Amino acid sequence: MKGEAKAIVLPKASKLKLQNAPYNAGNPGDVLIRTIASTITPGLDRLLLTNKPVSHRVLEYPLIPGSESIGQVIEAGPEARDVKPGDFVYVFKGDRWTGMECYYGCHAELIPTSSENVLPLGRPPIHRDLLTGLLAYVISAIGKVPLDPSMRVLVLGLGSVGLMISEYLHHKGCRHVDAVETFGIRGQLSRAEHIALDIGDFTASFNDRYDLVIETTGRILMIEKAIRLMKAQARVLLMGNYEVMAYDYRLIQHKEPVIVSSCITTISHIRSASALLDSEALDTEKFFTNVFPVSQYELAYRIALDSKEAIKTVISWV
């Protein structure tokens, strides 16, 4: 399985291009998937676009963005795990590109990857399957902190991650969830009880209230601003992408918060997310705010990164 496929490529910082990208999926367990749709991940893709670090890995251009796709297997190696040609799958990584870096690498008409990077759906895909990775990320993160329905939770940011957090917490029986979100329309879509446009809008009556603060914005200084709202030894769950982790510990030490970082999502989380989506227990329709054909990929990125209404922006490849 060797060839070229049209892909959305970052040849350099702040430049997107739809071009042919070479691939070589020659291992026995590899598969080649024809993409039906993929979604833009605003927080991660913004860092890739601006050449800012997203992990300990050093990435060089050109690179292929994208981390969530649905499609159909068209070729499979003799040792491909659990999939065969014709199967519909969710794809969370395309790692068989040549001459191209990829953090996940799923924005392409064909995705070359290992069969370990796909989840068989067992049916034709539907749009909510594109939320599998997002929900898996949330399930993984919430699993790292003690959760009790009586606890009070503050979510900082209601982008796609924060919105899914509020939805998942509601599913888990947590009803005392508040949020901070600059764009009011996102607050209306959430399950949050009290919503502030700015963290300073929470009055003194909210001081010492929260057992858990979940940070999704990527702005580490939000923790310092939220410290007055936390109970002593409250937990702080970090779910943003942080370029610099620098803050003055003296300003938060009197509350002794427990800082928990979450960035690892395993295949077990992905399976759990897929099963929960199939149960239709979550309100998933509100996440999909825009769909664009691949020919309008530049507009899709502008909307996904800059529009206050955008939650999940989908790129259609068919």
Side-chain angles (χ1 to χ4, degrees), residues 10 13-14 44-53 61 243:
L10 278 163
S14 303
L44 179 62
D45 285 2
R46 183 177 285 108
L47 293 178
L48 295 176
L49 272 163
T50 54
N51 196 22
K52 293 181 179 177
Y61 298 103
E243 183 185 2

Side-chain angles (χ1 to χ4, degrees), residues 21 85 182 206 209:
T182 304
F206 287 84
R209 172 179 290 218

Side-chain angles (χ1 to χ4, degrees), residues 44-212:
L44 179 62
D45 285 2
R46 183 177 285 108
L47 293 178
L48 295 176
L49 272 163
T50 54
N51 196 22
K52 293 181 179 177
V54 295
S55 74
H56 66 281
R57 289 176 56 193
V58 177
L59 299 177
E60 296 181 359
Y61 298 103
L63 61 85
I64 300 176
S67 60
E68 301 166 320
S69 295
I70 50 176
Q72 187 172 26
V73 177
I74 57 173
E75 292 186 56
E79 297 179 15
R81 182 183 300 178
D82 299 329
V83 292
K84 62 185 184 302
D87 287 351
F88 293 102
V89 294
Y90 169 78
V91 192
F92 50 91
K93 190 173 186 179
D95 58 358
R96 295 296 189 259
W97 301 104
T98 57
M100 300 274 178
E101 285 269 14
C102 65
Y103 196 74
Y104 291 104
C106 289
H107 278 323
E109 63 178 347
L110 300 175
I111 301 176
T113 190
S114 165
S115 56
E116 294 181 352
N117 297 328
V118 304
L119 178 73
L121 295 173
R123 53 165 173 75
I126 51 181
H127 59 283
R128 70 168 179 248
D129 293 319
L130 287 164
L131 299 175
T132 304
L134 173 63
L135 178 56
Y137 180 45
V138 168
I139 291 173
S140 170
I142 294 300
K144 295 179 174 72
V145 296
L147 192 66
D148 183 277
S150 66
M151 68 194 311
R152 293 186 177 274
V153 182
L154 178 63
V155 181
L156 304 179
L158 289 172
S160 58
V161 173
L163 192 62
M164 184 60 83
I165 281 282
S166 76
E167 189 68 31
Y168 184 65
L169 289 175
H170 187 271
H171 167 70
K172 299 293 285 185
C174 295
R175 297 295 185 266
H176 305 299
V177 178
D178 298 339
V180 178
E181 173 52 55
T182 304
F183 301 131
I185 190 169
R186 295 181 181 180
Q188 295 171 24
L189 293 173
S190 77
R191 299 280 192 171
E193 187 177 15
H194 301 100
I195 303 165
L197 298 179
D198 182 86
I199 200 164
D201 294 338
F202 281 114
T203 63
S205 63
F206 287 84
N207 288 354
D208 305 306
R209 172 179 290 218
Y210 297 103
D211 305 280
L212 172 64

Side-chain angles (χ1 to χ4, degrees), residues 228-261:
R228 68 175 175 86
L229 305 173
M230 301 178 199
K231 292 181 180 178
Q233 299 181 324
R235 280 173 167 77
V236 178
L237 181 59
L238 302 181
M239 296 186 66
N241 290 298
Y242 304 94
E243 183 185 2
V244 178
M245 292 283 287
Y247 59 90
D248 190 343
Y249 180 69
R250 294 169 298 176
L251 300 176
I252 68 173
Q253 64 181 353
H254 61 289
K255 288 290 185 74
E256 296 184 339
V258 178
I259 309 294
V260 181
S261 180

Side-chain angles (χ1 to χ4, degrees), residues 27 59 80 125 233 275-276 285 291 304:
N27 295 333
L59 299 177
Q233 299 181 324
L276 183 53
E285 291 298 322
V291 180

